[in-house]
Amino acid sequence: MDLIWPDDITAQMQQMANLDSIAPEMLKAAAPIAVDALRQRVGQHRSNKANKHLADSIQAKKPKKRKSGGYAMDVAFVGYDTGHGASGRQKDRVAQNQKAVALEYGTSKQAATPFMDKAANDCKDAVGAVMQDVFNRRSGK
C-alpha cells in the first residue's frame, strides 16, 4: 500500500519552499491510520495464528522523495514467518509479503481473498484529513 496525497495538496505544496519538511511529516502522521486499516482487513481473514503474524508484520517505512517528484511512504509486510508447526529451519521460512500476495491474489491451492484495495478505501478519507490538517498547520492556514 502506498500513501500518496491528493492532487490539490500536491499543487499547493509545489509552490512552497518547505515542501521537503512538510511532506514527510504529512506521511508520518497518516501512516498509523493506513497500518491500522490494513491490519483490520488482514485480521478479517480466517482468524488463525498465521494471519495474526501477518497482521503484526505490517509496518510503515520511512517517507522518501520519488524520482518523478513528490513523496511516498510504503506500508508493507516485513519479516518472515516459520509457519505454524514448521521446524523453524531456514528453508521453512516464508516472507510475510509472500503470504500477503498469496492471500490477496490466491494460489493454486487457495482462492484469492482481496483485502488491499478495501483497506485503502477504508482509510482514504481519514488519511486525507490528517494530511490536510498537517499541511494547514504547517503552512499557517
Side-chain angles (χ1 to χ4, degrees):
M1 177 187 299
D2 291 330
L3 294 180
I4 302 172
W5 54 73
D7 291 337
D8 58 326
I9 294 175
T10 302
Q12 292 173 13
M13 289 184 67
Q14 288 174 340
Q15 298 173 4
M16 299 179 66
N18 55 354
L19 169 66
D20 291 335
S21 68
I22 294 176
E25 185 179 337
M26 291 170 61
L27 291 168
K28 285 179 186 177
I33 298 167
V35 168
D36 287 344
L38 202 49
R39 281 188 179 146
Q40 287 177 5
R41 283 294 177 170
V42 169
Q44 290 177 354
H45 293 284
R46 293 188 309 253
S47 178
N48 65 28
K49 193 176 195 178
N51 286 343
K52 181 183 181 334
H53 289 188
L54 184 61
D56 290 345
S57 76
I58 300 168
Q59 294 180 7
K61 304 287 186 168
K62 291 181 180 179
K64 56 189 169 194
K65 193 168 190 172
R66 297 167 61 172
K67 290 180 183 177
S68 60
Y71 282 79
M73 173 187 275
D74 294 330
V75 175
F77 300 88
V78 298
Y80 293 87
D81 189 2
T82 55
H84 36 283
S87 67
R89 297 179 304 200
Q90 181 74 18
K91 71 177 189 172
D92 291 332
R93 292 177 6 143
V94 177
Q96 296 290 10
N97 62 350
Q98 184 179 356
K99 288 172 36 180
V101 168
L103 189 61
E104 177 79 6
Y105 298 106
T107 67
S108 61
K109 297 178 183 180
Q110 171 184 324
T113 51
F115 63 92
M116 290 188 204
D117 283 343
K118 293 175 183 176
N121 288 332
D122 289 348
C123 68
K124 181 180 178 181
D125 291 340
V127 164
V130 166
M131 292 172 80
Q132 184 69 54
D133 183 54
V134 171
F135 176 78
N136 290 346
R137 189 174 66 246
R138 288 291 309 272
S139 65
K141 291 187 176 189

